[in-house]
Amino acid sequence: MQGVLPTQCRDFMNKQYWQRFFKKIKKEGQQSEYFEWYGNYDSYNHLFKKFIKVDDSVFHAGCGKSLLSEQLYDNGICKNIINVDYEKISLDQMRKRSENKRPEMQFQCMSLTEDINIQSEQFDVILDKGTLDAIFPDEETPQVNTYLANMLRILKKTGKFIIISLLQDHILKTLLQLQYNIEIYECIIEKSKLYPFFIVIDKNEQKSIQFYQLQKDVQTLNIKQAQEIIKKIQLQNHFVTSIHKLRQSQSFTLDIWDNNNKQTPRYKLDIYDNDDSKILLQKTCGCFIVPQGREQSFLFGTEQGHKELIKQMKMSRCVIARMNPGHKFNNMKQVQQELSEPMKQLIPKGCTNIPCPFLTDGDEIGEKNIIFEADDCLVEELNIDDIKYRRLIIKSALDLIQSEAKIINNKVDNSYLDFEAYVAIVAGLAFNKAKEVLILGGGVGLLSRFINEHFGVKVTNIELSEDIVNVAKQFFDFKNTDSENLVCCDALDYVDQILECHQYDTIIIDINASQANQLSPPKQFLSAEFLNKLKTLLTPQGIIIINILDSQKELVQLPWDLYYSRKCENEINEIFYLINAQKEKKQLDGKEIDVIDKGLLDAITQQLKESRINFSKGKWDNSMNLANEIDNIKLKHPVFKTQAFQTQDALLVQDGEVINNRKDFYQEDLKKVQKKKHNRRRKN
């Protein structure tokens, strides 16, 4: 099709372009003069049979010279079809070809981006195969509003608007904003470099978004989730079309599926092309298999760790393969055999080391067994260096381990916390002498039990999932007692219920998002409204501790006056410690600015020092140095500037006097400048 496709997007809106388009196809002697955008009838027949009934009236919008309507007719899907296009020459040819064979089929020439003379609610199905993409090449196309309004007006209230589209960002955004039920199907067109989606808009259903991904169960998504998952698929498909070409610093992720499991992919492959141009020219390729149980370690579970591993491998293309939870792997030989075929597809053109080597850390893949599985989660046991661990995995976020416990004599070891983030959360208890703690997002209760057992603190856990509460009791030894309780409840509802009824010394938020790569906890738990509710539940010396996972850098600043933080080195979490400080304001250069008493900061520093001494006496696992963890906690907000004429986040007050005003800083900076000049003169 070289020379046939338009040179710029807006050619799609040009009537003369389409006339030249069809003439050029015929002149160049293509195998067929009937051009099929995004595949033919066979590519979608299973979906047409699902959504189009024999007696339906079908409006084929922008039919062009497609054979689709004829194939729908000939295969008995439906016969009452009106084909509409604004290019008369091709429409006349389509009419001539069908006038004797398909007597019930109709043809009409009109522009669909202008007002059309058709009564409302006339058709059961509107069929658009590539037309929306042609009409709507970029965001600056107002005609698309007229087109969509026309189609939705002539569609019956119980009708379906079927669209086959590449779903460019602006098109997806427009469709998702419609107040109707939308079903989106991922499609594969054989021997094609195009990857369209099959969209069904149902006027009879309330607003919702269902996504049907290949080899996966249906997912109900919000607008943002739909945009993210479709963008991921589009990027993956784009990579697949040029997969054999090496590109400096290129990286991508592919999922490898097992036909017997449609809920979770069997393997996750992270593909990296080296950023060293000299190594790239060697055209080598290798696969590193991550041992089971090591997925969350620095080298295998972080972006920085992957970079270090790539340096060690010294390959032009590095493939890092992870065995996903929910699957059984017998031995390294089986894993290598299963990965051999995908690796053949990933080998760069001109690869100099075929067959590509498989590498790993050690000789074995690691021992792992699934001991429980539900619709949304699973529990697995694995051995690492002869130590048994038990894990809870949420299926919607396979990259994250929700909970992990060390098992000794078939019981949970309550002296151990595996996650660096959990250790940092416990370090937050150094800010006060807590007697009662509330944990929102209690999970299976490992954090709760550690705090209860080692600090003698009463703990209430709130967990939304009934499955996880049952897993906690069955597989993680959790038992409700007078000093420790796990409640199955929505955290937002629970907080509303106990407002003005109860107070806590420490409130911990440890709530995961429903999907991977999303802000955790979700934004409603970080809003000023919710945090202010929690503030009313705090004792005067109380503190809120939040475990935040923000891989997409969505969070700029928390709506809180004074807080500290601890960035986990080997994980992507950051722990925030919100101090219950009294709020004061002062006018500075016509603006209100927060006032922080230096005495408060000094008192916090002293409290942390005292707690450090007490923490050093704790009888927990030797691998956790909680005393040293306190040293990693730093003031996050406000930031007190120390240079002249820098805008202050807050004023620092001591004995009623501002000690970080700009005049003082200016004088200090002036002294430094004068001293430098004096030193230069002495040298000269």
Side-chain angles (χ1 to χ4, degrees), residues 239 242-252 270-276 279-280 284-285 310 315-319 346 348:
F239 176 75
S242 58
I243 202 168
H244 297 296
K245 187 172 182 179
L246 288 168
R247 291 183 173 87
Q248 191 171 2
S249 301
Q250 175 178 246
S251 64
F252 209 77
D270 290 312
I271 301 106
Y272 296 92
D273 288 352
N274 212 299
D275 59 3
D276 188 321
I279 295 178
L280 207 67
T284 54
C285 183
I310 293 164
M315 297 282 183
S316 305
R317 172 167 291 172
C318 305
V319 180
L346 295 172

Side-chain angles (χ1 to χ4, degrees), residues 11-196:
D11 286 345
F12 281 118
M13 294 294 295
N14 189 306
K15 186 174 182 179
Q16 287 72 34
Y17 161 75
W18 288 108
Q19 292 173 341
R20 295 194 306 270
F21 176 86
F22 289 116
K23 287 180 181 178
K24 193 165 187 177
I25 288 180
K26 193 169 184 179
K27 183 178 180 181
E28 293 186 359
Q30 302 287 344
Q31 290 183 344
S32 171
E33 63 179 278
Y34 312 113
F35 189 71
E36 291 296 344
W37 286 106
Y38 311 157
N40 55 26
Y41 165 82
D42 292 333
S43 304
Y44 310 100
N45 62 347
H46 62 295
L47 292 169
F48 289 137
K49 290 175 182 177
K50 179 178 180 179
F51 292 108
I52 302 177
K53 299 175 183 177
V54 174
D55 297 330
D56 280 348
S57 55
V58 177
F59 185 92
H60 188 186
C63 62
K65 299 183 77 172
S66 171
L67 300 175
L68 178 59
S69 57
E70 298 175 15
Q71 291 167 331
L72 290 170
Y73 192 107
D74 296 344
N75 283 279
I77 302 297
C78 63
K79 297 185 181 297
N80 185 9
I81 305 173
I82 295 180
N83 296 284
V84 178
D85 201 277
Y86 76 168
E87 211 290 299
K88 189 174 184 302
I89 296 174
S90 60
L91 201 65
D92 288 342
Q93 293 175 0
M94 298 283 282
R95 180 188 291 111
K96 185 176 181 181
R97 197 168 64 248
S98 292
E99 58 186 358
N100 295 323
K101 295 180 180 179
R102 306 172 186 90
E104 297 175 57
M105 189 175 286
Q106 302 177 52
F107 299 86
Q108 193 167 350
C109 185
M110 69 173 70
S111 171
L112 299 176
T113 57
E114 301 171 1
D115 291 338
I116 56 177
N117 187 23
I118 299 177
Q119 291 185 359
S120 300
E121 299 183 19
Q122 291 295 299
F123 297 94
D124 299 294
V125 176
I126 305 292
L127 180 56
D128 172 328
K129 181 166 169 276
T131 302
L132 181 60
D133 288 4
I135 289 174
F136 196 15
D138 55 49
E139 294 185 16
E140 298 179 4
T141 314
Q143 297 95 323
V144 71
N145 296 322
T146 304
Y147 170 72
L148 290 174
N150 284 336
M151 297 303 98
L152 292 169
R153 180 179 64 78
I154 65 175
L155 184 65
K156 293 180 180 179
K157 288 183 178 179
T158 57
K160 291 178 171 56
F161 188 0
I162 296 175
I163 301 171
I164 300 174
S165 166
L166 295 180
L167 284 185
Q168 302 95 313
D169 291 347
H170 57 285
I171 291 178
L172 178 62
K173 180 180 177 181
T174 299
L175 295 180
L176 293 178
Q177 288 174 344
L178 297 175
Q179 296 303 308
Y180 303 111
N181 181 70
I182 297 178
E183 296 181 19
I184 304 174
Y185 294 79
E186 182 188 7
C187 301
I188 295 291
I189 309 302
E190 190 175 355
K191 297 180 180 179
S192 173
K193 292 185 178 181
L194 297 176
Y195 295 88

Side-chain angles (χ1 to χ4, degrees), residues 154 177 202 216 401 405 416 425 652 654 664:
I154 65 175
Q177 288 174 344
D202 194 331
K216 293 190 71 172
I401 300 170
Y416 170 81
I425 288 173
L652 192 61
Q654 187 173 28
D664 290 344

Side-chain angles (χ1 to χ4, degrees), residues 458-476:
K458 184 178 180 180
V459 185
T460 300
N461 298 272
I462 308 301
E463 172 54 50
L464 177 64
S465 169
E466 187 175 353
D467 281 342
I468 291 178
V469 171
N470 292 332
V471 164
K473 296 175 180 178
Q474 186 175 355
F475 298 102
F476 291 89

Side-chain angles (χ1 to χ4, degrees), residues 346-549:
L346 295 172
I347 292 173
K349 187 177 180 181
C351 184
T352 58
N353 66 332
I354 298 175
C356 295
F358 287 99
L359 310 171
T360 191
D361 186 8
D363 299 325
E364 300 299 328
I365 60 172
E367 182 183 344
K368 183 171 69 174
N369 295 302
I370 299 169
I371 61 174
F372 172 80
E373 186 167 7
D375 290 339
D376 60 347
C377 66
L378 59 91
V379 179
E380 60 184 18
E381 279 190 354
L382 59 157
N383 283 308
I384 305 174
D385 299 329
D386 296 325
I387 299 175
K388 182 184 288 187
Y389 296 89
R390 191 172 291 169
R391 286 177 173 175
L392 172 65
I393 305 291
I394 306 300
K395 291 182 177 179
S396 62
L398 290 176
D399 285 344
L400 303 175
I401 300 170
Q402 208 276 348
S403 298
E404 178 173 288
K406 185 190 290 185
I407 306 298
I408 298 177
N409 298 325
N410 208 33
K411 291 185 177 181
V412 172
D413 178 9
N414 293 327
S415 70
Y416 170 81
L417 290 174
D418 182 65
F419 302 140
E420 186 182 356
Y422 273 6
V423 176
I425 288 173
V426 173
L429 298 179
F431 281 93
N432 60 22
K433 298 176 181 179
K435 294 181 180 179
E436 191 165 358
V437 173
L438 172 66
I439 301 178
L440 304 179
V444 295
L446 298 178
L447 180 61
S448 164
R449 197 155 340 132
F450 185 93
I451 293 173
N452 175 255
E453 184 168 314
H454 295 282
F455 292 86
V457 175
K458 184 178 180 180
V459 185
T460 300
N461 298 272
I462 308 301
E463 172 54 50
L464 177 64
S465 169
E466 187 175 353
D467 281 342
I468 291 178
V469 171
N470 292 332
V471 164
K473 296 175 180 178
Q474 186 175 355
F475 298 102
F476 291 89
D477 305 338
F478 192 93
K479 294 179 182 179
N480 283 333
T481 67
D482 291 340
S483 63
E484 190 181 14
N485 194 24
L486 180 57
V487 180
C488 186
C489 179
D490 184 293
L492 297 171
D493 293 340
Y494 183 83
V495 169
D496 286 338
Q497 291 168 13
I498 64 169
L499 283 175
E500 300 179 1
C501 300
H502 205 99
Q503 283 194 315
Y504 297 91
D505 302 296
T506 301
I507 299 175
I508 298 170
I509 304 177
D510 186 32
I511 298 175
N512 291 326
S514 59
Q515 299 286 333
N517 298 319
Q518 292 183 347
L519 178 65
S520 295
K523 286 185 177 179
Q524 61 263 39
F525 294 98
L526 303 174
S527 68
E529 179 185 4
F530 183 72
L531 291 177
N532 284 331
K533 287 182 180 180
L534 294 188
K535 192 169 187 177
T536 66
L537 299 178
L538 288 176
T539 57
Q541 304 301 319
I543 182 174
I544 300 171
I545 303 174
I546 311 177
N547 180 11
I548 295 182
L549 193 154

Side-chain angles (χ1 to χ4, degrees), residues 246-371:
L246 288 168
R247 291 183 173 87
Q248 191 171 2
S249 301
Q250 175 178 246
S251 64
F252 209 77
T253 299
L254 294 176
D255 290 328
I256 307 298
W257 290 84
D258 178 354
N259 291 331
N260 297 321
N261 187 332
K262 293 188 176 182
Q263 286 192 313
T264 60
R266 186 165 174 81
Y267 296 97
K268 175 187 174 183
L269 305 183
D270 290 312
I271 301 106
Y272 296 92
D273 288 352
N274 212 299
D275 59 3
D276 188 321
S277 58
K278 292 181 180 179
I279 295 178
L280 207 67
L281 290 173
Q282 295 173 6
K283 296 185 178 179
T284 54
C285 183
C287 177
F288 190 97
I289 300 171
V290 178
Q292 295 181 109
R294 302 282 301 282
E295 300 91 346
Q296 299 297 314
S297 67
F298 171 74
L299 197 61
F300 308 129
T302 67
E303 184 177 348
Q304 193 61 38
H306 281 186
K307 291 179 180 179
E308 182 62 33
L309 182 59
I310 293 164
K311 287 182 180 179
Q312 294 178 20
M313 290 178 67
K314 295 181 180 179
M315 297 282 183
S316 305
R317 172 167 291 172
C318 305
V319 180
I320 301 174
R322 163 182 165 156
M323 295 168 274
N324 277 328
H327 296 266
K328 177 69 175 178
F329 302 92
N330 295 321
N331 50 54
M332 182 62 72
K333 183 177 179 181
Q334 176 204 10
V335 172
Q336 290 182 0
Q337 287 176 342
E338 291 179 350
L339 290 174
S340 292
E341 191 58 37
M343 281 301 298
K344 290 178 183 177
Q345 307 302 318
L346 295 172
I347 292 173
K349 187 177 180 181
C351 184
T352 58
N353 66 332
I354 298 175
C356 295
F358 287 99
L359 310 171
T360 191
D361 186 8
D363 299 325
E364 300 299 328
I365 60 172
E367 182 183 344
K368 183 171 69 174
N369 295 302
I370 299 169
I371 61 174

